[in-house]
Amino acid sequence: MSQLHCKLPDVTVTKPNGLSQSLFFHVYSGPNAIAYAHLSSGAGNRQRRPISRAALPLQTPGISYCLKKIEVSQNYRNLGIGTALLQEVISFCQDERISALYGEAKGEVEILRRWYRDKGFELDAVDNIQLTL
């Protein structure tokens, strides 16, 4: 476990140990699970529709992951936990030499569109998200 940097003290995150088909990140405040992120490998995501093939460098090995879900418990929202968790996910993916993260903005779409855009993701007209690493 390592510290997660957000507005709440003593929040920790567990990260996967290497790559696998499914990756889970769990966030805890003391013993309580308060957030998680789930990624799945590109091999298991045949419905992937990249925003732009031109956005992916040709020399990239092509390992990509779908951000299936990032969720923060309702009582812990707006404390920077989701942002800090997404940054942990992005850093992990960069360390593991993953070429792209992609997914779909679900929920309050306008807020999520702005949130993902602020984190460097590209969005298309139907709320697909992609971050080339």
Side-chain angles (χ1 to χ4, degrees), residues 36-78:
Y36 76 97
H38 173 212
L39 283 69
S40 65
S41 70
N45 297 301
R46 302 188 196 295
Q47 71 277 14
R48 178 179 180 213
R49 296 177 308 212
I51 289 174
S52 167
R53 287 262 179 217
L56 296 175
L58 295 176
Q59 71 273 18
T60 318
I63 298 171
S64 62
Y65 273 81
C66 177
L67 179 59
K68 298 296 245 179
K69 187 133 185 164
I70 186 165
E71 182 75 33
V72 178
S73 295
Q74 190 167 354
N75 293 339
Y76 292 91
R77 293 182 183 163
N78 299 313

Side-chain angles (χ1 to χ4, degrees), residues 13-35:
V13 61
T14 61
K15 298 180 254 187
N17 186 14
L19 299 179
S20 65
Q21 189 169 350
S22 284
L23 304 175
F24 289 92
F25 297 74
H26 295 93
V27 178
Y28 297 91
S29 177
N32 302 318
I34 60 171

Side-chain angles (χ1 to χ4, degrees), residues 54-110:
L56 296 175
L58 295 176
Q59 71 273 18
T60 318
I63 298 171
S64 62
Y65 273 81
C66 177
L67 179 59
K68 298 296 245 179
K69 187 133 185 164
I70 186 165
E71 182 75 33
V72 178
S73 295
Q74 190 167 354
N75 293 339
Y76 292 91
R77 293 182 183 163
N78 299 313
L79 296 172
I81 294 167
T83 296
L85 176 56
L86 182 59
Q87 187 53 54
E88 287 288 329
V89 168
I90 292 169
S91 293
F92 174 87
C93 290
Q94 289 171 329
D95 291 347
E96 294 293 332
R97 305 190 74 181
I98 293 169
S99 62
L101 276 175
Y102 63 93
E104 182 181 346
K106 297 177 184 175
E108 296 180 41
V109 176
E110 280 309 310

